[in-house]
Amino acid sequence: MGNFLEDQIAECERRIKRIKERPDPSRLRSNLVFYELERDHRIAQLTNWRAGKPFAESAGLWTFGRALGFEQVDMVQTADRLSTTHLAQAFDRVRALGFPDLACDRTVTMLPLVIDGVDLPTPHFIIGMLTGCELIPLAFDALARYLNIPFYAIDIGFEGRSEDVLEYVVPQLQEAIELAERSVPGIHYSEERLMELQEIDRQWCLCYQDIYELRKQVPCPVGGRDAFREPRWPSIYFDPRRALDYVRAYRDDVAEIAAKGLAPVQDERLRVMWAVSGPFYYNAFALLERHGVSVPIFQYGGAARLYGAKYGIHGDTVEFGRRLSPLEEEVRMASSNSWRMGSRWVEDTLLICRDLKIDAIIWYQQLSCTPVAGAEKLLEEAAAKQGIRCLFLEGRQADQSAFNQEDFENRLLHFVERCIEEKQVAARV
Amino acid sequence: MGEEEELRSIVEANREANRHQWAAEAKARYTAVIGTISPCVPAEIIYAAGFFPWRVTGSQSAVHLADQYRPQWMVPYNTHIVEAQLRGELGFLDGFVAADLDLDTMRGWEVLNHLRPDAFSRLVHVSRQGSEAAIKMTAKQFHRLLLECEQWSGKAIRERDLLGAIQAYNEVRRLIGHLYGLRKRAHPPLTGTEMAGIAAAATIMPPPVFVERLGRLLSYIEQRRTALKRTAPRLMVSGDALDDPAFVALIEDLGTVVAMDDCDPGARNFIREVDTSSGEPIEALARHYRQLPGCPRDFTWPDRVSEILRWTDDWAIDGVVEYSMMYLFSRSFRQPYLAARLREKGKAHLGLTVGYRLGGDAEQLRTRVQAFIEMVSA
């Protein structure tokens, strides 16, 4: 096993080779674009690391981080991609370092990847943002203190979109700029670069909004496994434009599937929203699809804004009643995360359910994922009023040591069969 | 009542059998009794409105009913509060005001809000960040709370009402601060357990009552000698929502003294007064509550931990026992950093993960603390 980046490059190469040698017409053509992007991104990360280029960790504010002139470490989603062996080693290190091993997998296993200096480049600057998840900025703070890295925490509050939030957060971004420029040689914020990157983000979001519209179709042209893939913002990548190219290709794939009527589940018996998290080591969607259950969407904190379900994106003048400055746009995109308030989570989730004609919600509660834990019953009661049933499952997303597949499958199937039965009864009435 | 008995009644004021008495008495004297959740809630604003702010302690019963609202792996303090509400233990409260200490606290408050739609229920954002903009934002939030209190009470809160409330709570802080000062003595006149009880009492008794009752015991306390078996090594306890005094008693029963704390309720709430000298009272409150000493939720860890380190010097502390409540991640992520800074200063550190009440893990904790005391003594 090499370091993470080398392993990922090799893994992507394997997948690319397999796709080219044995193309599978049932899979998305854009998968090839994705793996090539990921491979080249990891190669660029390795190259830049070896060349001593400045890196930042700015999860949630990747665009801002790149506009400062940093490359991105991308710790959080890297932790999602660890192999079983690597993950076990990471947990051992977490315990040895004294960090909480019961915290959400990704927020804690990402720490040794950087601390040990083997798998990921050490960031020269860290920005933590308190919007949805709070463990990520906590972990970043812990890392910053451990390695003595300049750290800036952006506090947003829970109230969402308002001029107050803009007035509060923009000065924080300005302070973060000053700190970065002061602390890291060669780093300079470029508003022009920020605007250029935001335009890429805007077009990228519009692609996802096109896909959201396609998800409304019955049967849904988006497969569950694809729905579950957390979007990777363009500025995570060394070449943000290529991320946009990928999403365009993905959108075009979905549009073609929709036009040809080739949905993964032709005869939909049930449409289910998958929410919060899921077991990365087990493909629940294949099981559901075999039983006629489509999963049009994965609902998480950023979904309502990204998919255009509720909130505006870059350039929108309705949300605040005016055009926003580039830094204000960064604040806009970071605020109104559905995960900040339980009530907002409930409203946004049910709005998306109505949009996509969702019959039921499967909420996989990742252990110690704090954003919406404790809001289950609030959602369940509100959803019941709209005739939507909920299933709550608990587990870890990356660590499969306590996963019982048989039990998990039984619970899923029992739930969906009951929902289907109720739906059929309701249709007859 | 003799002075020792009087002192005992204050130390035990927040015990389950006693704590509601203060709220019941307050019902007659104040417009409303408002439960506060989190040390960042500006009690002064609630008090200035003619309400009585009463810090909520969670149910001492095992959790059953709250399970339907909260997974088991959430912060037990907030779960025990929901349990208390579902068991009817908090029915006398006219409302709840919480600060967004963390997402767990917010979810707990949202459940209370859902269960009590009739109540005066407010959530306040207290910034976790150290900038002047953060103070300003927190002040805006506090001002909004003030307006909401006015609206609910139907009574305007004048600046002098607010200054009066700040003064009332500062008197509490001054009194308790004086007691903390006495604990710098080689043989403190109060044990750590007693101090924890007094701090808790201050959060559930009306300020004038607390000041009057404790104030008349000052001379007695100053010359008092505790029954501590040993007064060395001198330890500090660091924890959050440490409502069960047994956690502190466990340490002192092993033959040492808890000479200082970084706890809520405890020094965190009372060691500093609200400073109104430089400006407007709301801003003064924002500045005070945004920078509670030691508080792990804050992103200014170096400053908060530096305060704890200064206390270890000022109170001649040999070691720190850090009680990290389960699933309280702001503390557990900070723990290695605190431990490292203490080590640099030659202070011992013991980190223990605990629930809300001292229960079946007591023996295990005792063993670990005993070993720690022996190590520090060597």
Side-chain angles (χ1 to χ4, degrees), chain B residues 354-368:
Chain B
V354 296
Y356 183 53
R357 299 172 304 144
L358 187 64
D361 54 347
E363 269 319 301
Q364 208 189 86
L365 291 174
R366 221 169 259 125
T367 305
R368 293 192 62 192

Side-chain angles (χ1 to χ4, degrees), chain B residues 35-44 46 55-56 77-78 81 97-102 105 124 126 138 142 169 173 203 239-243 262-270 272 274 285-286 288-298 328 330-331:
Chain B
T36 62
I37 300 164
S38 142
C40 302
V41 170
E44 290 87 341
I46 299 168
R55 180 182 172 275
V56 181
Y77 170 54
N78 296 316
I81 289 177
V97 175
D100 59 346
L101 197 68
D102 49 31
T105 305
V124 175
V126 177
T138 305
F142 284 5
Y169 276 90
R173 293 185 179 100
T203 65
D240 315 280
L242 217 62
D243 291 335
D262 154 45
C263 286
D264 147 53
R268 195 176 302 164
N269 314 81
F270 298 111
R272 273 206 297 258
V274 174
L285 286 170
H288 176 84
Y289 282 101
R290 210 234 56 72
Q291 300 173 147
L292 286 181
C295 189
R297 78 180 286 263
D298 208 287
L328 187 61
S330 53
R331 181 167 285 278

Side-chain angles (χ1 to χ4, degrees), chain A residues 80-185:
Chain A
D80 294 343
R81 287 156 167 76
L82 296 177
S83 66
T84 312
T85 311
H86 211 155
L87 185 74
Q89 288 172 351
F91 269 117
D92 286 342
R93 284 295 290 141
V94 162
R95 289 176 201 111
L97 290 164
F99 292 116
D101 62 351
L102 289 180
C104 159
D105 298 16
R106 54 164 34 177
T107 64
V108 75
T109 55
M110 64 178 178
L111 294 175
L113 302 181
V114 170
I115 287 175
D116 293 344
V118 172
D119 292 296
L120 288 175
T122 304
H124 296 77
F125 190 71
I126 303 177
I127 304 173
M129 183 173 67
L130 260 172
T131 174
C133 174
E134 64 187 354
L135 263 59
I136 290 175
L138 278 173
F140 286 168
D141 200 349
L143 179 68
R145 308 302 167 196
Y146 196 96
L147 294 178
N148 207 24
I149 298 169
F151 170 72
Y152 195 93
I154 306 275
D155 182 65
I156 291 182
F158 57 78
E159 289 174 318
R161 50 191 171 176
S162 72
E163 285 290 340
D164 276 354
V165 171
L166 297 179
E167 199 182 301
Y168 176 43
V169 181
V170 167
Q172 293 180 61
L173 291 176
Q174 287 164 339
E175 283 189 1
I177 291 169
E178 280 165 36
L179 180 62
E181 289 180 345
R182 196 168 68 236
S183 310
V184 187

Side-chain angles (χ1 to χ4, degrees), chain A residues 256-428:
Chain A
E256 188 180 326
I257 290 168
K260 290 179 176 173
L262 295 171
V265 181
Q266 288 291 328
D267 181 22
E268 281 183 354
R269 299 166 74 209
L270 200 72
R271 288 167 71 93
V272 161
M273 166 190 276
W274 193 277
V276 183
S277 184
F280 294 163
Y281 37 83
Y282 173 72
N283 185 358
F285 310 103
L287 175 75
L288 292 172
E289 284 167 2
R290 284 199 297 277
H291 286 79
V293 178
S294 69
V295 181
I297 196 147
F298 167 55
Q299 166 64 340
Y300 69 105
R305 189 181 284 282
L306 171 60
Y307 299 145
K310 189 170 175 181
Y311 310 100
I313 60 170
H314 316 82
D316 168 76
T317 55
V318 172
E319 190 170 11
F320 288 88
R322 62 177 179 86
R323 187 159 284 282
L324 300 186
S325 71
L327 285 182
E328 285 174 334
E329 287 289 9
E330 288 301 285
V331 178
R332 178 223 296 274
M333 296 306 288
S335 67
S336 289
N337 189 297
S338 300
W339 274 352
R340 197 82 190 126
M341 287 296 293
S343 52
R344 190 183 306 144
W345 169 249
V346 170
E347 273 168 36
D348 293 354
T349 298
L350 294 181
L351 172 76
I352 292 175
C353 283
R354 284 192 295 275
D355 271 356
L356 303 185
K357 305 181 196 64
I358 297 294
D359 302 305
I361 299 169
I362 295 174
W363 174 329
Y364 184 91
Q365 182 56 59
Q366 149 83 332
L367 178 74
S368 302
C369 174
T370 58
V372 283
E376 293 89 340
K377 195 151 170 68
L378 303 182
L379 176 64
E380 187 177 46
E381 288 179 3
K385 290 177 186 165
Q386 295 187 24
I388 297 171
R389 242 186 198 284
C390 296
L391 171 68
F392 299 100
L393 302 166
E394 278 186 8
R396 300 197 89 160
Q397 64 192 17
D399 177 12
Q400 58 183 297
S401 53
F403 179 68
N404 181 321
Q405 183 172 327
E406 190 183 340
D407 179 62
F408 192 79
E409 288 177 353
N410 284 341
R411 294 186 69 192
L412 277 180
L413 292 178
H414 177 77
F415 174 71
V416 301
E417 288 303 328
R418 195 161 159 203
C419 290
I420 290 166
E421 210 176 285
E422 286 175 4
K423 189 177 171 184
Q424 287 167 346
V425 166
R428 284 197 291 269

Side-chain angles (χ1 to χ4, degrees), chain A residues 98 130 132 134 141 145 152-153 155 159 164 167-168 172 339-340 342-343 365 367-368 371 373 377-378 381, chain B residues 68-69 71 73-74 103 106-107 110 114 125 127-129 133 137 140-141 144 299 301-302 329 336-337:
Chain A
L130 260 172
E134 64 187 354
D141 200 349
R145 308 302 167 196
Y152 195 93
D155 182 65
E159 289 174 318
D164 276 354
E167 199 182 301
Y168 176 43
Q172 293 180 61
W339 274 352
R340 197 82 190 126
S343 52
Q365 182 56 59
L367 178 74
S368 302
K377 195 151 170 68
L378 303 182
E381 288 179 3
Chain B
Q68 60 184 304
Y69 285 97
W73 47 262
M74 294 189 82
L103 288 169
M106 290 166 69
R107 295 299 159 259
E110 285 191 279
H114 174 71
H125 173 56
S127 177
R128 296 198 208 188
Q129 206 242 30
M137 173 55 128
K140 264 191 181 166
Q141 290 279 306
R144 201 180 69 184
F299 278 112
W301 286 2
F329 292 111
Y337 176 69

